Amino acid sequence: MSQIGIFYGPEMGSVEKVARLIADKIGNDRVELIPVKNCDAAALDRFDKMIFGASTIGMTNWNSDYKDSDWDVFATKLKDANWNGKKVAIFGLGDHVQYPEHFVDAIGWIYERLEKLEVEVVGFCSTDEYEYVESEGVKDGQFLGLPVDEDSEPEKTDLRVQNWINRLINEFGF
Ligand SMILES: Cc1cc2nc3c(=O)[nH]c(=O)nc-3n(C[C@H](O)[C@H](O)[C@H](O)COP(=O)(O)O)c2cc1C
């Protein structure tokens, strides 16, 4: 059974916490956790199935203050990987109370970059159980990945992650 690469950033905060929760639930022997900081495209070539995790730190800042964030740098390397037959699922940390008009925008930011490379993205989520006003992570009425809000509804994280993984098992085909 092939392993799943969980590429995440930044380290030490909620993204890493959720990346580790996902690893625990899938089974640590079936995944490899890889911080995107200082990571090269060659690491992407080692997996057929990948999970990408990021936080949204203000979309208005993507092109200014945060241009050197772990994901900003790693995203420029995605084009160098071989994406043939690969599947990627995305999870995104955000805060729907403080940032209801940009809730988990980073999910959309990552999706857009994968879409340009014609990568198959799986693991979409219904918007039904989320309160928000606007999100660039939503397309055709669905989140393009799993939104997690450790700031304002951490009590929902465990079940959200579990339900998502249950579906990913089918969509990834493992
Ligand atoms: C400066 C700043 C800007 C943020 N902007 C957004 C935002 O636009 N949308 C959103 O959903 N969450 C936003 N958040 C919330 C973070 O995404 C959230 O706290 C996340 O869990 C952080 O993950 P980390 O601890 O791994 O960095 C912002 C947080 C900070 C500190």
Side-chain angles (χ1 to χ4, degrees):
M1 192 187 304
S2 62
Q3 279 206 317
I4 297 166
I6 303 179
F7 292 81
Y8 69 95
E11 293 170 86
M12 310 300 279
S14 296
V15 171
E16 177 161 342
K17 182 179 169 189
V18 174
R20 291 188 180 283
L21 179 66
I22 290 169
D24 285 344
K25 287 186 181 295
I26 294 176
N28 281 289
D29 54 328
R30 295 168 76 182
V31 304
E32 192 175 327
L33 282 159
I34 302 162
V36 297
K37 190 174 185 176
N38 301 325
C39 184
D40 286 320
L44 296 161
D45 288 336
R46 291 171 34 226
F47 303 94
D48 289 334
K49 302 170 178 94
M50 287 167 260
I51 294 174
F52 285 1
S55 52
T56 300
I57 303 295
M59 282 303 276
T60 51
N61 289 330
W62 280 114
N63 298 317
S64 54
D65 300 358
Y66 288 87
K67 68 174 180 297
D68 294 329
S69 80
D70 300 356
W71 267 104
D72 282 305
V73 176
F74 188 59
T76 64
K77 303 176 184 174
L78 295 177
K79 64 181 186 324
D80 301 325
N82 176 2
W83 290 103
N84 205 6
K86 306 288 180 89
K87 288 184 185 178
V88 177
I90 305 166
F91 71 91
L93 271 292
D95 180 343
H96 81 287
V97 174
Q98 294 294 327
Y99 304 96
E101 289 170 0
H102 290 281
F103 182 51
V104 295
D105 278 354
I107 290 179
W109 186 86
I110 292 175
Y111 177 86
E112 201 179 292
R113 276 144 188 83
L114 292 172
E115 191 184 31
K116 276 191 191 133
L117 297 167
E118 298 183 5
V119 180
E120 184 179 355
V121 180
V122 298
F124 295 174
C125 287
S126 165
T127 55
D128 290 353
E129 285 164 39
Y130 293 89
E131 281 179 39
Y132 67 99
V133 178
E134 292 274 351
S135 174
E136 293 192 15
V138 172
K139 189 179 169 190
D140 299 331
Q142 280 192 302
F143 281 109
L144 299 160
L146 172 72
V148 182
D149 186 342
E150 274 289 292
D151 296 349
S152 301
E153 44 191 21
E155 71 286 354
K156 296 191 177 171
T157 298
D158 197 82
L159 188 59
R160 281 175 171 167
V161 167
Q162 188 63 61
N163 288 340
W164 189 60
I165 288 170
N166 291 348
R167 280 187 287 112
L168 270 191
I169 286 170
N170 282 329
E171 293 181 44
F172 267 155
F174 58 74

